Amino acid sequence: MRTRGFLALAVVAAVLSLAAAAGAADAEGSAAETVAFVRQGNIWVARVDGTGERRLTDFGVCGGPALSPDGKHAAFHCRGDQDIYPDTGFGQIYLVETAGGEPRRLKFEGVLAAERPAFSPDGKSLVFVGLSEVKKKGKDDEAQIFATMSVSIADIQSGKTRAVLRHKNAMLDAGYIYSHPAFSPTGSGFSGSRAAAMSRVGLR
């Protein structure tokens, strides 16, 4: 995908993050009192009453923010000029404390570019859309980008990763195969969109 598609996804991510956090306002814990959103390509957090705005990033083009269950961390993806796959619209996943601090880039086994992170209910794992095995066919404006896309789950601390769904040779200009994965409330499965349809897979 090109930059315009990435920016459009960032706007959608901001709306979805606000809606999800607002829907959790009746739950217990600080996550229910916080929203994460995108403003002009940066990740921000604020209280649900609109106070306490804080910018968490100042680099790249970022999107897809997700709050940890305890509200202490935000995961998101950012794309910079030095990303491994600059022609795909994919970037890298970062983790940062919502109280502020330096974002930390997360590295996952076998995944070189990723987006759309979401926390597990215990806050120890992330599910995300991963990208690998990128190939460019054709030249100049007629070139097409193909890659292996996956929905993967990774342990945040160790980086140990496993692909749950995997699709090889996906033509990225035709649209993403997977998007917006999320764990079920119990952590025993996850849902997401695949070619505009819902998929649900057990994680036992």
Side-chain angles (χ1 to χ4, degrees):
M1 301 296 286
R2 299 297 187 263
T3 302
R4 286 184 298 175
F6 183 84
L7 292 174
L9 285 172
V11 173
V12 172
V15 174
L16 290 174
S17 296
L18 284 167
D26 292 332
E28 295 181 357
S30 58
E33 302 169 0
T34 307
V35 293
F37 58 95
V38 179
R39 177 187 291 163
Q40 297 179 337
N42 287 301
I43 305 300
W44 292 67
V45 291
R47 299 187 186 93
V48 294
D49 62 5
T51 64
E53 285 190 2
R54 180 180 296 110
R55 187 173 71 177
L56 301 180
T57 66
D58 59 1
F59 63 95
V61 179
C62 303
L67 290 171
S68 61
D70 62 7
K72 294 182 179 180
H73 293 86
F76 52 92
H77 61 258
C78 287
R79 179 188 175 191
D81 293 336
Q82 302 303 316
D83 281 337
I84 298 172
Y85 301 139
D87 295 326
T88 66
F90 272 66
Q92 306 295 331
I93 290 179
Y94 293 80
L95 188 71
V96 66
E97 294 183 6
T98 52
E102 188 70 22
R104 174 170 63 98
R105 177 183 161 186
L106 300 180
K107 296 182 180 181
F108 306 121
E109 296 175 350
V111 178
L112 297 181
E115 66 171 26
R116 301 294 172 191
F119 283 92
S120 60
D122 62 8
K124 296 180 179 180
S125 301
L126 291 173
V127 60
F128 56 88
V129 179
L131 198 69
S132 60
E133 300 175 345
V134 172
K135 300 176 182 178
K136 181 183 287 189
K137 298 182 180 180
K139 296 181 179 180
D140 302 326
D141 293 339
E142 297 181 358
Q144 295 177 324
I145 308 297
F146 295 82
T148 295
M149 294 190 71
S150 63
V151 173
S152 297
I153 297 172
D155 179 82
I156 294 174
Q157 185 169 359
S158 69
K160 185 175 181 181
T161 308
R162 65 186 179 95
V164 179
L165 299 172
R166 191 175 175 88
H167 188 97
K168 292 188 175 183
N169 296 317
M171 187 172 73
L172 300 188
D173 285 337
Y176 293 171
I177 301 297
Y178 305 117
S179 181
H180 297 89
F183 283 94
S184 66
T186 62
S188 61
F190 73 90
S191 65
S193 63
R194 176 180 179 180
M198 297 302 294
S199 299
R200 191 172 299 274
V201 178
L203 304 180
R204 294 187 298 274

